[in-house]
Each structure stands twice: as C-alpha cells, then as structure tokens.
C-alpha cells in the first residue's frame, strides 16, 4: 500500500564489489573466518526503496527519543539533549565514524574561539571566483553602485543563462555566512529567467566585493542570550516593474 509498504519496489544495481563477491562466492573480509565457505543471503535492499529515506528517518528518530532526546515542534529534524553520551550510543546502534570536533561541513568552515564559533565559507567563495575566472579581478569596496536601478533591459545583449543561473545559485548559498550580500543577490536573482549584460556586470561587482573580504563570516557567541530583536524597513514603490513597495527585515536571536 502506498505510504505503508513498498518493500517489493526497488532498483537493483550491480556494483563491482557485488560482482566480485558472486564470482568468488566468499563472505566479504571481516564477516567470517578464513576457512568459512558460507555466503550472504540478501533479505531486503534499502537502495532504491521508495520509502528508504522515510524508514531511515523513523529508525533514527526512534533511537534519539529512546535515549532522552526531545524533538522540537517547529523543526522536526532538530533534537536536543545535554546529558547523554550520544556518540557512544549512536556508534553502538549504527556504527558511525567519529570525526571529532567540527571543522568543515557542506562548504562551511567552523573555527572555535573564546567568544564562540566563527562560520565562514572562504574556500567556497574562492571556488566561485575561480570558476567565474575572477581570481585576477580588482577588489571592490562596495557591493553595488549607488542608486543603481535595474530594469528589464530588453535592448541589451543576452548572456549565457546557464552561467548566470549557476553563479546566482552559488551566491544564494553563500548567504549562509555572508548576510551582507543578501539584498543585492536577491535582487539579481529576479533576472535568472532572462539575464542581460547589466545583470552580469552587477554580479561581477559582487564577486569583486567578495574578493576584498575573503575571510569574512558570522560569529555565533557563547553568551548570546535568547533575546529576539527585529528590524524592519520599507522601500515605497521600490520595484521598478510592478511599482509595488518592498519590505526588508532582519531578525537576531541572542
């Protein structure tokens, strides 16, 4: 039944290790004694199973709740607990690999200081400059020209949409640790459907600004508190296309 059991649906893929195992008819190293001639019988494969991710999430969630973790209602992938040997328990249950203190994750570099944790994407940003062939560009002290208003630019020359979309997509992910570029990048992302030369020039200005500030990031302080602060501002008739007003906001926790 859909949503309950899709165990009969899977995508069998022959890997090289599987082929070698079938040819030698031996149990893989570490699963038996040297003179053991038994073979492995596959009961069920999770690879290709439509509910594989759902089953994994259910098993992992159940394991965390079992040792006292609490699941947040706002984000079901967030669990918290302070007084548990979490790594030891997960290693016994799932056989994990301990990578020690976090230093690098999904392109984000983590540095620990006395004040807290500093998150940056220096290597990721340098990769963007290299792919865009902007490593030798002149750095810029500002993101966008003053009072620059980007319109549809119908009469301007089109640029490669794949290149522009890929660049804007990577800049959107860079906002994780560079909120200073959020406003400009979100404006430029409005033109991914029909990019023109002016948009690419404005994007190159962002890259020049990033080159001037390669190691900049954000600090997550140890003693930030739990105070929630919000700032808001409006730009009346700010959209050059619809003449609608635009609202910007900033939320700070701690």
């Amino acid at each position: 039944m859909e949503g309950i059991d899709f165990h009969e649906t899977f995508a069998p893929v022959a890997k090289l290790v599987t082929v070698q195992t079938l040819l030698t008819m031996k149990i893989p190293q570490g699963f038996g004694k040297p003179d053991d001639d038994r073979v492995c019988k596959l009961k069920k494969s999770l690879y290709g199973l439509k509910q594989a991710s759902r089953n994994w999430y259910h098993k992992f969630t159940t394991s965390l709740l079992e040792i006292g973790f609490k699941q947040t209602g706002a984000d079901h992938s967030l669990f918290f607990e302070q007084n548990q040997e979490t790594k030891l328990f997960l290693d016994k249950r799932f056989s994990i690999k301990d990578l020690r203190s976090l230093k690098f994750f999904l392109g984000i570099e983590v540095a620990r200081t006395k004040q807290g944790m500093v998150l940056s994407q220096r290597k990721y940003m340098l990769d963007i400059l290299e792919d865009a062939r902007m490593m030798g560009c002149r750095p810029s002290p500002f993101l966008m020209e003053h009072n620059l208003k980007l319109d549809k630019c119908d009469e301007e020359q089109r640029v490669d949409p794949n290149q522009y979309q890929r660049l804007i997509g990577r800049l959107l992910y860079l906002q994780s640790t560079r909120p200073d570029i959020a406003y400009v990048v979100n404006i430029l992302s409005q033109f991914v459907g029909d990019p023109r030369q002016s948009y690419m020039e404005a994007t190159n200005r962002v890259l020049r600004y990033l080159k001037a500030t390669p190691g900049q990031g954000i600090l997550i302080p140890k003693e930030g508190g739990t105070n929630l602060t919000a700032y808001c501002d409006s730009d009346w008739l700010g959209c050059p296309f619809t003449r609608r007003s635009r609202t910007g906001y900033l939320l700070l926790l701690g």
Side-chain angles (χ1 to χ4, degrees):
M1 297 178 61
E2 183 175 359
I4 299 180
D5 51 357
F6 273 33
H7 301 305
E8 299 299 326
T9 304
F10 62 97
V13 178
K15 298 181 180 180
L16 180 59
V17 177
T18 306
V19 176
Q20 293 175 347
T21 303
L22 292 176
L23 292 176
T24 57
M25 294 299 292
K26 293 181 179 179
I27 294 181
Q29 184 178 3
F31 285 88
K33 299 179 180 179
D35 55 348
D36 197 343
D37 58 355
R38 294 178 298 171
V39 297
C40 298
K41 178 182 179 181
L42 181 64
K43 292 185 177 180
K44 182 179 64 176
S45 175
L46 285 179
Y47 183 83
L49 188 67
K50 290 185 178 181
Q51 292 182 322
S53 58
R54 179 178 179 273
N55 292 340
W56 159 250
Y57 174 79
H58 176 72
K59 182 176 182 179
F60 185 70
T61 300
T62 304
S63 300
L64 292 181
L65 296 177
E66 180 181 328
I67 59 174
F69 273 78
K70 295 182 180 180
Q71 187 177 22
T72 60
D75 185 356
H76 293 285
S77 62
L78 177 61
F79 301 82
F80 62 91
E81 174 60 36
Q82 296 181 352
N83 301 318
Q84 289 285 346
E85 295 292 337
T86 307
K87 288 185 177 181
L88 181 60
F89 171 80
L90 293 179
D91 183 55
K92 291 182 178 179
R93 181 65 61 89
F94 301 101
S95 183
I96 66 173
K97 182 178 181 181
D98 190 0
L99 300 178
R100 306 300 177 183
S101 299
L102 179 63
K103 296 182 179 179
F104 192 84
F105 180 72
L106 295 178
I108 300 177
E109 302 173 41
V110 182
R112 301 178 184 272
T113 65
K114 295 181 179 180
Q115 290 75 25
M117 299 178 64
V118 179
L119 306 182
S120 65
Q121 293 172 281
R122 183 177 182 276
K123 183 180 182 303
Y124 181 77
M125 186 271 295
L126 293 177
D127 291 341
I128 296 177
L129 291 176
E130 184 176 358
D131 291 345
R133 300 181 180 179
M134 295 286 289
M135 288 295 292
C137 67
R138 183 176 60 182
S140 173
F142 52 90
L143 274 166
M144 179 180 286
E145 295 183 8
H146 187 58
N147 293 328
L148 177 63
K149 297 293 184 179
L150 296 175
D151 52 24
K152 294 184 178 179
C153 303
D154 293 332
E155 298 180 357
E156 288 193 5
Q157 180 181 359
R158 288 185 172 89
V159 298
D160 185 1
N162 294 329
Q163 179 184 0
Y164 185 82
Q165 293 168 6
R166 171 178 168 81
L167 184 56
I168 293 298
R170 301 185 74 177
L171 290 177
L172 286 172
Y173 183 66
L174 188 62
Q175 293 177 160
S176 302
T177 60
R178 296 298 300 266
D180 51 325
I181 69 173
Y183 173 74
V184 176
V185 173
N186 278 274
I187 289 181
L188 296 174
S189 66
Q190 300 176 17
F191 310 105
V192 294
D194 187 20
R196 303 288 176 143
Q197 186 62 34
S198 296
Y199 314 149
M200 182 59 75
E201 292 177 358
T203 305
N204 289 336
R205 170 78 69 174
V206 177
L207 298 180
R208 291 172 55 193
Y209 169 80
L210 291 173
K211 185 180 180 182
T213 56
Q216 186 171 331
I218 58 176
L219 171 66
I220 302 180
K222 290 182 177 180
E223 302 177 356
T226 56
N227 294 329
L228 181 63
T229 306
Y231 297 92
C232 181
D233 196 9
S234 299
D235 183 12
W236 302 108
L237 304 177
C239 181
F241 308 131
T242 62
R243 305 305 300 166
R244 293 181 179 179
S245 303
R246 294 185 295 197
T247 301
Y249 58 90
L250 173 65
L251 300 176
L252 298 175
L253 178 62

